[in-house]
Amino acid sequence: MESATDAYCIEKILDGKTEYFSVLMTRHAPSVFSLMTRMAANREDAEELTQDTFLKAFRALPAFRRDSSFSTWLYRIAYNTALSAMRRQPAEHVSLADIADSTNEEAEDELAALDNDAQLERLQKALEQLPPDDRALMLMFYMQEKTVAEISAVTRLSPANVKTKLHRTRKKLLLLMTDHF
């Protein structure tokens, strides 16, 4: 059963053999959970959001149109689930106006003086300060290694808009990492 394709499993589930959903969960849970752990406040929240994602996917499976891969469709559900949860949590975010107050050269010079562990720590703190949609884009592109086209399909943003948002978010991260805020 584990070697069955996603399409085959979906057909079986829609025919009433819901045990095939466990194959899809086993296959796709690691990538969904990975996204959730990077977007959620803690591991427990990530686990809950992962479960919510699969529950929503199971309920919506009859509406799956197959105009994209199952993994892209599932990732879209995960993305929306995470964003909804993150929007309910108050957080401080960086605005574009803040970016204009500092130069990239100053930030890069400051970061170059740090060792790798310090840079990673600052990166994690900076990621936590980003708005949910910006954080999700960065996580999908750099951690999940999704292409711009895949991110576009998940977020329903144009590829050009995805590239622009990634560029602006990288600038935000750079400045956040240098403690200018």
Side-chain angles (χ1 to χ4, degrees), residues 19-162:
E19 64 271 14
Y20 277 84
F21 196 73
S22 67
V23 174
L24 297 176
M25 285 181 64
T26 301
R27 186 173 295 152
H28 298 285
S31 63
V32 170
F33 182 69
S34 178
L35 173 68
M36 297 307 185
T37 57
R38 289 177 174 86
M39 294 182 71
N42 55 55
R43 183 176 179 84
E44 292 78 24
D45 289 347
E47 289 170 353
E48 185 176 333
L49 290 171
T50 300
Q51 290 174 354
D52 288 349
T53 297
F54 281 100
L55 181 60
K56 289 176 183 178
F58 181 77
R59 288 179 178 159
L61 199 55
F64 176 52
R65 295 184 309 223
R66 297 180 180 95
D67 54 353
S68 66
S69 69
F70 175 77
S71 62
T72 299
W73 181 77
L74 179 65
Y75 220 78
R76 173 81 181 155
I77 294 170
Y79 171 79
N80 286 334
T81 300
L83 282 182
S84 294
M86 292 170 64
R87 286 181 179 139
R88 290 189 295 265
Q89 299 171 350
E92 290 185 26
H93 301 299
V94 178
S95 71
L96 284 177
D98 295 329
I99 292 174
D101 294 338
S102 183
T103 65
N104 283 344
E105 295 81 23
E106 293 170 352
E108 289 171 1
D109 289 345
E110 187 174 331
L111 284 175
L114 300 173
D115 64 29
N116 285 343
D117 289 338
Q119 285 183 6
L120 287 174
E121 184 178 329
R122 284 189 180 196
L123 175 60
Q124 185 60 41
K125 287 179 182 177
L127 279 169
E128 291 169 3
Q129 293 178 45
L130 290 175
D133 53 340
D134 289 348
R135 186 178 335 156
L137 285 176
M138 297 303 285
L139 295 173
M140 283 190 277
F141 189 75
Y142 289 105
M143 304 304 235
Q144 298 288 322
E145 298 180 353
K146 300 280 186 199
T147 65
V148 169
E150 290 171 322
I151 294 170
S152 177
V154 168
T155 61
R156 295 191 177 138
L157 297 171
S158 71
N161 198 353
V162 169

Side-chain angles (χ1 to χ4, degrees), residues 158-172:
S158 71
N161 198 353
V162 169
K163 289 177 185 179
T164 300
K165 288 180 76 74
L166 284 169
H167 175 74
R168 290 178 179 166
T169 303
R170 280 191 292 269
K171 289 177 84 174
K172 288 180 191 178

